[in-house]
Amino acid sequence: MLEVQNITKIYNSGTVMEQCLFRDFSLTVGEGQFVTIVGSNGSGKTSLLNIICGTIPIESGDVRIDGQSIAKRKEYQRYANMGRVYQNPSAGTCPNLTMLENLSLADNKGKPFNLSRAVNRSRADAYREQLRALDLGLEDKLDVKMGSLSGGQRQAVALLMAAMTPLRFLILDEHTAALDPKTAEIIMERTDKVIREKNLTAMMVTHNLRHAAEYGDRILMMNQGKIVLDRAGEEKKNTSMDDILSMFNHISTQ
């Protein structure tokens, strides 16, 4: 279980630009939940993910996993059991390394490298099978540098890399926003499959209201650092895109 407990986050503290985004904010995400998060720009969606991952500090409060505080752990330490896919397809991969080298590095996450080779070509066939499932023609491009791939192809590989080793949490920060509609659908279908097969706890920020309605088993809408909508289970299943859009528009006009 993931818990965000009574956190306060202030940007530009002590300046004329000071802004308190979260004040005494709490959220609990149950084991195996797939939570979709929507809201306008500046509502706190990405800041919440950054706080959970340790990318930005908090003024007070706690972040806990299974009752144990991780608030003082550095970002790289939290990624021991977390995977993250960013909005920018260039993030999360190394452009000057080949796809095989990128996948090998992800495959070795948390393992000692010692003086052995970082690239294990005996795993190439396994990588090809995973890439073939994406239906993007990537299975024959293991020796192509990541920087030569399209944005959609890089994002697909980033998703594979994020979930390659055993982990419990998958953090998705608008990971389809920069993709064309067809590729976005492929990535979302693969994302859902990865989450279900690995029984991950997942949090996905998205501006795509249809994706928010169709995927996941819980939906949150945020506004000015607060949760204004929280539906799970059957209630989430019965929430349509029009329902979300109607509330989104209502909040935007307040």
Side-chain angles (χ1 to χ4, degrees):
M1 181 167 58
L2 174 66
E3 298 173 279
V4 176
Q5 296 183 337
N6 308 112
I7 62 168
T8 294
K9 175 58 190 174
I10 300 174
Y11 285 104
N12 305 310
S13 181
T15 73
V16 294
M17 299 295 290
E18 181 174 303
Q19 177 192 9
C20 181
L21 178 59
F22 294 119
R23 186 179 298 281
D24 201 32
F25 175 92
S26 295
L27 172 69
T28 298
V29 179
E31 190 78 16
Q33 272 195 332
F34 180 3
V35 184
T36 60
I37 307 173
V38 297
S40 59
N41 291 333
S43 61
K45 307 182 303 297
T46 294
S47 290
L48 175 61
L49 299 188
N50 284 334
I51 288 168
I52 291 170
C53 293
T55 308
I56 59 175
I58 52 178
E59 275 60 47
S60 61
D62 201 2
V63 179
R64 304 175 73 85
I65 293 177
D66 297 337
Q68 182 177 1
S69 175
I70 63 168
K72 295 187 183 301
R73 292 184 190 174
K74 297 185 183 299
E75 187 175 6
Y76 76 89
Q77 293 173 318
R78 301 190 197 194
Y79 282 133
N81 59 10
M82 288 184 184
R84 186 172 184 175
V85 186
Y86 300 84
Q87 177 180 350
N88 184 352
S90 298
T93 59
C94 300
N96 293 321
L97 298 182
T98 66
M99 198 183 337
L100 176 61
E101 290 167 334
N102 272 271
L103 291 167
S104 295
L105 287 172
D107 209 3
N108 283 313
K109 176 183 173 182
K111 302 173 186 175
F113 281 91
N114 300 320
L115 295 177
S116 61
R117 290 182 178 273
V119 176
N120 184 356
R121 287 196 169 270
S122 66
R123 292 278 293 148
D125 286 342
Y127 299 153
R128 287 192 187 94
E129 287 305 308
Q130 294 180 63
L131 292 167
R132 186 173 288 111
L134 295 172
D135 197 27
L136 292 173
L138 291 171
E139 60 272 16
D140 297 321
K141 296 184 177 181
L142 282 177
D143 292 320
V144 173
K145 288 189 176 182
M146 286 295 300
S148 301
L149 302 178
S150 70
Q153 290 173 327
R154 290 185 71 168
Q155 200 69 311
V157 178
L159 175 63
L160 288 183
M161 290 171 62
M164 185 164 285
T165 55
L167 72 158
R168 294 179 58 193
F169 303 96
L170 184 60
I171 307 296
L172 305 160
D173 188 3
E174 297 185 58
H175 70 308
T176 64
L179 309 180
D180 65 81
K182 179 181 178 181
T183 306
E185 293 305 315
I186 292 172
I187 297 301
M188 274 309 310
E189 289 171 7
R190 181 61 185 175
T191 299
D192 188 63
K193 184 177 181 181
V194 167
I195 291 169
R196 299 305 172 195
E197 287 181 348
K198 293 179 177 283
N199 193 31
L200 302 178
T201 302
M203 300 179 70
M204 179 181 77
V205 165
T206 181
H207 281 295
N208 188 314
L209 299 186
R210 184 173 63 80
H211 287 170
E214 290 183 4
Y215 292 95
D217 44 36
R218 181 180 179 186
I219 183 170
L220 305 178
M221 183 180 290
M222 298 186 66
N223 184 52
Q224 298 180 354
K226 297 180 176 63
I227 295 173
V228 295
L229 174 72
D230 186 353
R231 295 181 180 178
E234 286 299 315
E235 192 177 14
K236 159 62 169 68
K237 192 178 296 184
N238 294 327
T239 300
S240 68
M241 185 181 75
D242 289 340
D243 294 332
I244 302 170
L245 181 59
S246 176
M247 186 165 187
F248 188 88
N249 289 336
H250 175 70
I251 292 171
S252 299
T253 57
Q254 287 182 337

